[in-house]
Every structure is written in structure tokens, then in C-alpha cells.
Amino acid sequence: MKPKFLLTLFTASILLFSCKDDTKDNQLAEADVKVDTTFNFTVEEFADIKVLRYQIPGWENLSLKEQKLVYYLTQAGLSGRDIMWDQNYRHNLEIRDALENIYNTYEGDKDSEDWNSYVTYMKRVWFSNGIHHHYSNDKMKPEFNKEYFDTLLKETNTELTGEPYEVIFNDKDAKKVNLDPSKGLLEGSAINFYGPDVTAAEAEAFYKKKSSPNANKPLSFGLNSTLVKENGKLIEKVWKSGGLYGAAIDEIIKWLEKAKGVAENEKQANAFGLLIKYYQTGDLQTWDDYNVAWVEATEGNIDYINSFIEVYNDPLGYRGSYESIIQIKDFEMSKKMQVLEKNVQWFEDNAPLMPEHKKDSVVGVTYKTVIVAGEAGDASPSTPIGVNLPNANWIRAAHGSKSVSLGNIIGAYNNAGSSGVLKEFANDEKEIELEEEYGKNADKLHTALHEVVGHASGQLNPGVGETKETLKNYASTMEEGRADLVGLYYLMDPKIQELGLTDDYKKTGMAAYDGYIRNGLLTQLRRLNQGDDVEEAHMRNRQWVSAWVFEKGKAENVIEKISRDGKTYYDIKDYDKLRALFGELLKETQRIKSEGDFNAAKNLVENYGVKVDQAIHKEVLDRNAQFKSAPYSGFVNPVLVPEMDDNREIKSIKIEQPEDFQAQMLSYSKNYNFLKVKKESKVTEAK
């Protein structure tokens, strides 16, 4: 599980204020990745996007063999890039090809407002891996008209007709991922995981009939396939070599085999072998075997994430989006974080959960700070700042999990500038001072507790199925909210100061609580269009957590809603009582997960996490209009360039930073374009 929601929370904090790191005695603050602050982290801004760069500190300290391993894994990741584009929407690749051909061949007026609007639209499509916004899931409408687009198509001899052409301008397929059951979870979603005539009820019935060889080790049915109807019968088109996306997968396999050849140790090589076998066969038992081998391969300097993993983009929670993150371990910082690994059982034992929902033994939890060397698919250009995998509950319980914090990504955010939104939305100077002194460390500690303790915490009742089966379309927001609540509860526990993670647990917790409530009830509304409901799963979890504790604390005035000079603020009056409310909600959220209580999940999310007070929303948008900084950020990737000897063997690998966003995107389309486009098809076929 990867906290793009934590990324959002984190980037929001960066946009809201300039964090000051004055807590030199605390271990997390000392654990900042060392970055060259003279480095130009910002590439460009357009629309609501800021594109950044990141460094790979310590690259020169890796051996040539280790650098080769990183290079091969990066190439494997990029080889699957087009899979993500096609997963996001059935016409994305065809539309991208047309947009790029126009950009590369148009010789007309490039100073006009229309052309600038065209380029901005193309960049937005690149950033989102398709025509739907990477965060809101809304289809992005161009600011140029059909007539101008027709001119560009004609003057560049570019072909784009039928639905792929019309959908750019019309209202069809308006939402990539729809979580409103009344609109049809699949019928209302443009995501390309299901055939156009497959309903949610049919898909759920299809998977309900499937059973795992071992009921205690349920297979991840649907994770790596597209479900379609052929002759009225539901069938899965499996993503594997020789199957759907086979051409790209064969390229991934080619580079993974090279990576296996320079593996750091036997366990890592074994994991590579199982991942290759999984890509070759599409077998879900092999996927589980791989995840067990991967989570137990903890030695070495290099680690990676590669495959179909996160299910947030599937409204039914079955199918995994393709992603890749290549990681170089930072052992100095990771060593400082081992305190959480060593004490994870204490946190479980002292959690405010029902005894039957606690794990007697939390096994195999590791937490590392890593340096990212490359990302692709669902992790790029918009990236998480932390990841916890694997997702299967039974593997986590029996074999453990890996949690990582993407240190150089966080470092890039910290050095990319900020704005003054904090002073606009914070209630008073005390809140601002707490945030400036303790907010940065509170964000880091919340991320760590969310990943290491939160996702590892709790257990399902015997016989209760996976959350995608029990909680269905509410599974993702419930799980992320649950992990959030674990972090919030422990942020104000003296244990974190005892462990040396902060020099003042009370102030760290207060800063975290201020920021969470402020974001959940006010500032995240900046990301919504006026009149919209909250639909993105992570935004929902921040709102239902914040709105629930606000309502439940009204009788004792735990959080006071203040109106001053026509502006709304939230002032926490009793942090200890708020912590108790977080604990109460955590207990209930874990009960819902453990018991598979769908109706309780639905009531919690729908009653607290979806609807927006439209008067406050308008007020937030009006107050935010003074700030020009883009609300979303993402990255171009450093380019690893191998130098060859006379025998065509790699003798060294150097790092080059891309000069601009469009150059990297065009390079990717040229060099990693392994899927051909079948026009007017729901599913992109393999070559």
C-alpha cells in the first residue's frame, strides 16, 4: 500500500508553509537525506502541476555491479509504462500518439494562445498517464476548441477519428474511477479493467465462485487480468507473456533476467526468478510465492517494486495498476528508524483495539529510508512518499512486510519552495508556531507510524474474507483511514519520546492534530471543483476521520468551529480528548475490517467522507485564490546512461538530469512504446 494520500498531505504541508527544522536532537530530523541545496529542483509549472527533479545521492558509492542492477531494474520498470496508460483508459495510447505526432510535426504558429493551450493539455495528459486527472479522476477538458484541433490534425497529417477523437471534447467517460454505486461502479468508471458491458454485480458474482486451494491463503483473484464478455460469457484476459500486454511484459522479463544475473544474493535472485515466472505464466500462486520471497529478501543495497500492485484504480478493488520504484537503501538513516521495527509489537499490544482483533505476534516488519533511482507506471510522474507491501493480509501476518520512506523524494519536496497558505487557514499564531517548529517531524513520524505500525496492525476474524470482498468499494478508504488513525493515536503517546523519535511528544502530536484537522476539513477542499462530492479514496479518508471526531467531540467542545471576519477556522481545545476520539474511531474501524461489516463501512464513509458543505467549499476556494503555487507536484526521473567498452559491456553508468518535462515524455514514448493500438477497441492488444 502506498500513501499517495500521505504524499498529498505532505505536499499540502509544503505548499501551506515553510517548515523549519530546528529539532536537531531528534532522530527523524537528523535522518533527512543529504541533498545538494544548490540543485535546481523545479523543472516547470503548468495548469495545476509543478514538475520537479530529484537527485540520487551516493550513486558514486555503489559498485558497478550494483549500478547495473539499478539500471536493469529501471529499464524493466519503464518497459511496462504503456500498460499503465492503457489500464487508465482504453483510448489513451491512441490519443497520446496523436497528440505527440502533432507536437513533433506541427510547423504553424507556436506563439498563439491556442497552441499554448494545446501544449498545456498534452502535458497534463502526460502527467496523468492519460486524459483523466491523476488525482480527481475527472476527465480533463482542453482549452482549445474542435476547430483548432481539426486544423492541427490536418496540417500534421495526424489521424484521430471516432470515439478517441470525440471523447476529448464530449462528456462521455467523465470519471476514471467512480465510487458512487448509484451511478454504477463499473458503468460510471472509464478505467480499462473491465469490458464495456460488464456490470459490478456480474464481476462480483464471477469472483465469488472462485475458491483458493487453501482458504487461509486466499489468492488475489482478478489482480492481473481484464474481465470481458465473449459470446455472453465472462472470461479473464490475463496480463502475461503471450497474453494481454504480452509485448511489454516480454520486455520487462528481458530486463529482469539481466537483473537476476547481477543479483546481490541468493534470496534476491530467487525473488527475481519467481517474478519472471509470474510474468511468464500469470499464475496467482506464483505471485504469492514471489511476495513471500520478496518480503524475506531483506539483505543488500538495492530493492524494488515491480508489477500489478495497488488496487485503488479498480472500483471493485480487484485489479492492480502497473508500477515500478527502484530503491537504493540509505543504511545510515534506516538504522535510526530500526527503533520502530523493534517496538512494533509494543504498539500492537497497546493499541485501543478489541483483544480479538490484535495480533499476538507481529512478524517480519522492516522499515527503511531509501533513495529512489527510478519510477514508472502508477508511481510516475506523481509519486508516493512511502510504501508498505505486500498487500495480502495473510502474507503480512505470516511473513511480514516491507515499509519504505522515499527519502530523496521527500528531500526534493522540502527544497522545492512553499507558499503562505498556513497563515491563511491556521486559527492563530500558536498553531502556526507549532507547525513551523514541529510540523515537519510530525509529518515524517506520521508517515512512519502509518506504514510500519498501521498497515501491520490488526487481524481479520477467522473466516472473514479479504476486504475487497467484504468492504468492496469502501475497502481502500477504510484501510488508509485505519492506518492513518494508528499514526494519529500514537503521535501523542509518550512512547515516541521514550524511543527518541521526538524531543516533545505533546507538541509533536499537537502539530500533527492541528494539521490533520485543518487539512481534512478545510485545505484539501482546494483540490475539488465547486459543487463536487469527495470521491478520491484518500481524500475521503481524511474527511471522514476529521468530520467524525469533530461531530463526536461537539458535546465537550473538543474541536471548536470558529467564524471570524467571514472565514472559518477549526481550533482544537482538548488534544487529549481528541486523541481518545481517534482511539475510539480506530477501534471501530478495525472492528469493521476484522468483521467485514460492509454496512458500517458504508455508513461511516457516506455520512462523513463524501458530502461537502458547499458554503465552506466556496469560502476555501475564494481564500485560496490569492496563492498561485500549483497544488500538485510530480517528478521527471534522472536518466541512467551506460557507457560501453569495446566488447559492448557496461563499464560505467552516469546520471543525467532531464532538462524539461516534454523531452523526457517524448523519449519515453519513443523508446518504451511496446504496445500497439487497436483502434476503437476496449482493450489494447499485445503486439
Side-chain angles (χ1 to χ4, degrees):
M1 297 157 192
K2 64 179 180 181
K4 269 197 179 176
F5 81 99
L6 283 177
L7 164 62
T8 304
L9 177 60
F10 186 81
T11 53
S13 69
I14 292 169
L15 293 170
L16 290 173
F17 48 85
S18 175
C19 290
K20 206 170 45 168
D21 182 12
D22 294 328
T23 54
K24 299 302 182 185
D25 292 332
N26 107 42
Q27 291 184 354
L28 282 177
E30 290 176 353
D32 284 334
V33 172
K34 302 300 186 295
V35 295
D36 176 7
T37 55
T38 64
F39 180 79
N40 184 8
F41 288 93
T42 301
V43 177
E44 62 176 305
E45 290 192 37
F46 53 86
D48 56 354
I49 301 298
K50 179 186 290 186
V51 180
L52 308 174
R53 298 183 183 90
Y54 61 89
Q55 300 167 284
I56 311 179
W59 175 256
E60 65 282 357
N61 297 327
L62 297 179
S63 68
L64 179 59
K65 183 181 178 182
E66 290 169 331
Q67 289 184 352
K68 285 182 179 180
L69 178 56
V70 172
Y71 174 71
Y72 295 150
L73 289 171
T74 301
Q75 294 302 302
L78 289 169
S79 295
R81 172 179 180 257
D82 279 3
I83 296 175
M84 185 66 201
W85 279 77
D86 191 69
Q87 287 180 326
N88 277 341
Y89 184 55
R90 63 189 180 275
H91 296 311
N92 272 340
L93 290 173
E94 188 174 353
I95 292 171
R96 188 189 74 189
D97 286 351
L99 294 176
E100 291 178 349
N101 189 65
I102 290 171
Y103 183 79
N104 286 327
T105 60
Y106 180 61
E107 296 181 351
D109 182 4
K110 294 185 179 181
D111 294 319
S112 70
E113 183 177 340
D114 279 336
W115 177 253
N116 289 333
S117 296
Y118 173 81
V119 173
T120 296
Y121 176 72
M122 180 180 63
K123 289 179 180 180
R124 297 184 75 195
V125 171
W126 278 335
F127 191 89
S128 295
N129 295 316
I131 65 172
H132 296 86
H133 194 277
H134 74 285
Y135 196 81
S136 72
N137 288 312
D138 292 328
K139 186 169 66 174
M140 299 177 292
K141 293 291 185 72
E143 294 186 2
F144 54 87
N145 57 35
K146 268 190 177 184
E147 291 72 24
Y148 181 70
F149 192 53
D150 289 342
T151 300
L152 294 179
L153 291 170
K154 181 178 180 181
E155 293 189 12
T156 58
N157 196 30
T158 301
E159 181 182 356
L160 188 68
T161 59
E163 188 174 79
Y165 167 85
E166 295 293 341
V167 79
I168 294 175
F169 299 97
N170 65 24
D171 293 326
K172 186 175 181 180
D173 296 330
K175 180 73 69 173
K176 184 175 76 172
V177 182
N178 165 55
L179 295 176
D180 182 355
S182 69
K183 299 177 182 177
L185 293 177
L186 299 189
E187 299 90 331
S189 297
I191 195 74
N192 192 22
F193 285 149
Y194 299 87
D197 50 356
V198 178
T199 67
E202 289 173 327
E204 289 172 349
F206 178 83
Y207 288 109
K208 192 173 184 179
K209 294 176 182 177
K210 291 185 174 292
S211 60
S212 301
N214 185 339
N216 294 321
K217 299 180 179 180
L219 298 176
S220 300
F221 292 120
L223 183 70
N224 63 334
S225 65
T226 302
L227 187 65
V228 300
K229 277 184 183 177
E230 289 191 357
N231 300 318
K233 182 180 179 181
L234 288 173
I235 64 167
E236 291 181 305
K237 290 182 175 288
V238 179
W239 310 330
K240 64 175 184 175
S241 177
L244 197 58
Y245 302 140
I249 289 172
D250 286 342
E251 287 292 322
I252 297 171
I253 291 172
K254 178 184 77 175
W255 290 106
L256 288 176
E257 287 174 338
K258 288 179 178 289
K260 183 181 177 184
V262 292
E264 297 177 277
N265 52 64
E266 185 177 348
K267 284 188 175 182
Q268 191 182 68
N270 180 49
F272 282 136
L274 287 167
L275 181 56
I276 291 167
K277 181 181 177 183
Y278 169 62
Y279 273 130
Q280 290 170 333
T281 64
D283 180 66
L284 293 173
Q285 182 59 62
T286 303
W287 171 245
D288 283 351
D289 294 342
Y290 161 71
N291 275 280
V292 171
W294 175 79
V295 82
E296 293 181 348
T298 57
E299 301 299 322
N301 292 349
I302 313 302
D303 211 344
Y304 63 97
I305 293 164
N306 181 294
S307 198
F308 313 111
I309 298 173
E310 303 292 357
V311 298
Y312 301 129
N313 282 322
D314 182 354
L316 302 185
Y318 286 98
R319 292 171 157 75
S321 298
Y322 175 79
E323 72 171 296
S324 170
I325 304 176
I326 317 306
Q327 310 158 7
I328 303 169
K329 292 181 183 177
D330 189 307
F331 286 98
E332 179 184 354
M333 289 185 293
S334 296
K335 184 178 180 181
K336 294 176 179 178
M337 292 307 301
Q338 285 179 354
V339 63
L340 281 179
E341 294 179 30
K342 294 176 180 177
N343 288 275
V344 67
Q345 189 64 52
W346 183 93
F347 289 106
E348 182 74 352
D349 293 342
N350 289 275
L353 309 179
M354 297 179 186
E356 62 269 29
H357 297 158
K358 295 183 182 182
K359 290 178 179 174
D360 293 332
S361 177
V362 183
V363 301
V365 175
T366 64
Y367 184 69
K368 309 291 184 186
T369 298
V370 300
I371 295 165
V372 172
E375 297 180 312
D378 198 27
S380 181
S382 178
T383 170
I385 59 169
V387 184
N388 178 281
L389 292 172
N391 286 331
N393 283 298
W394 75 263
I395 296 178
R396 302 164 72 84
H399 301 278
S401 61
K402 289 180 178 178
S403 294
V404 295
S405 174
L406 309 186
N408 58 332
I409 296 295
I410 295 172
Y413 279 127
N414 282 341
N415 286 279
S418 60
S419 71
V421 183
L422 172 66
K423 294 181 179 179
E424 175 62 42
F425 289 96
N427 178 57
D428 53 28
E429 286 299 320
K430 180 182 177 182
E431 186 175 328
I432 294 170
E433 290 170 4
L434 271 173
E435 183 56 59
E436 289 178 339
E437 186 170 3
Y438 288 95
K440 179 178 177 182
N441 189 58
D443 280 344
K444 288 183 182 180
L445 188 51
H446 188 219
T447 301
L449 289 167
H450 173 108
E451 293 297 332
V452 182
V453 183
H455 284 310
S457 177
Q459 63 182 359
L460 301 179
N461 287 1
V464 174
E466 293 291 301
T467 54
K468 68 183 177 185
E469 300 164 351
T470 59
L471 305 186
K472 302 179 182 180
N473 51 303
Y474 302 108
S476 292
T477 190
M478 289 297 293
E479 174 58 22
E480 297 304 335
R482 188 187 68 87
D484 246 6
L485 284 162
V486 172
L488 289 166
Y489 182 76
Y490 281 118
L491 274 166
M492 197 172 281
D493 194 298
K495 185 70 173 181
I496 64 169
Q497 187 167 338
E498 176 189 325
L499 295 175
L501 297 173
T502 179
D503 61 2
D504 191 323
Y505 76 92
K506 288 286 290 186
K507 290 183 178 179
T508 298
M510 290 166 68
Y513 288 11
D514 286 340
Y516 198 90
I517 297 300
R518 186 172 61 245
N519 191 33
L521 297 180
L522 287 176
T523 56
Q524 73 168 3
L525 298 180
R526 298 179 302 143
R527 299 174 180 272
L528 292 179
N529 295 321
Q530 180 71 54
D532 287 353
D533 290 340
V534 181
E535 297 189 67
E536 201 279 330
H538 306 113
M539 285 185 70
R540 282 185 169 188
N541 99 239
R542 288 194 296 277
Q543 178 164 300
W544 63 252
V545 169
S546 300
W548 190 94
V549 294
F550 172 67
E551 179 183 288
K552 299 302 179 184
K554 278 184 177 179
E556 297 185 89
N557 199 33
V558 176
I559 305 172
E560 183 178 353
K561 182 180 178 182
I562 296 172
S563 181
R564 185 171 62 246
D565 300 327
K567 297 180 179 181
T568 301
Y569 304 89
Y570 289 92
D571 184 23
I572 300 173
K573 295 297 187 180
D574 193 321
Y575 291 91
D576 291 324
K577 288 182 179 178
L578 179 54
R579 184 190 184 223
L581 288 172
F582 284 139
E584 183 181 337
L585 183 55
L586 171 57
K587 181 180 181 180
E588 172 62 6
T589 304
Q590 182 62 58
R591 184 200 67 77
I592 291 170
K593 177 180 179 180
S594 295
E595 298 178 2
D597 190 341
F598 173 80
N599 288 330
K602 177 181 178 180
N603 289 336
L604 180 60
V605 176
E606 294 292 344
N607 290 335
Y608 295 97
V610 176
K611 295 299 179 182
V612 177
D613 183 315
Q614 293 303 316
I616 288 182
H617 190 189
K618 182 179 185 304
E619 174 200 319
V620 168
L621 294 176
D622 289 344
R623 292 166 69 181
N624 187 64
Q626 62 186 294
F627 305 109
K628 305 305 179 185
S629 183
Y632 302 101
S633 296
F635 291 86
V636 289
N637 292 298
V639 181
L640 304 182
V641 182
E643 296 183 346
M644 318 300 286
D645 62 20
D646 293 339
N647 297 318
R648 302 302 299 164
E649 296 290 332
I650 296 176
K651 66 178 182 180
S652 65
I653 300 175
K654 65 179 182 178
I655 297 174
E656 294 181 355
Q657 288 289 345
E659 290 300 318
D660 55 54
F661 183 53
Q662 54 264 42
Q664 180 154 96
M665 294 298 100
L666 291 170
S667 172
Y668 283 170
S669 293
K670 177 182 178 182
N671 296 316
Y672 304 101
N673 182 19
F674 299 116
L675 298 180
K676 71 177 181 180
V677 177
K678 187 175 181 180
K679 298 181 187 297
E680 294 295 335
S681 171
K682 174 69 178 177
V683 175
T684 297
E685 301 292 346
K687 280 185 179 178

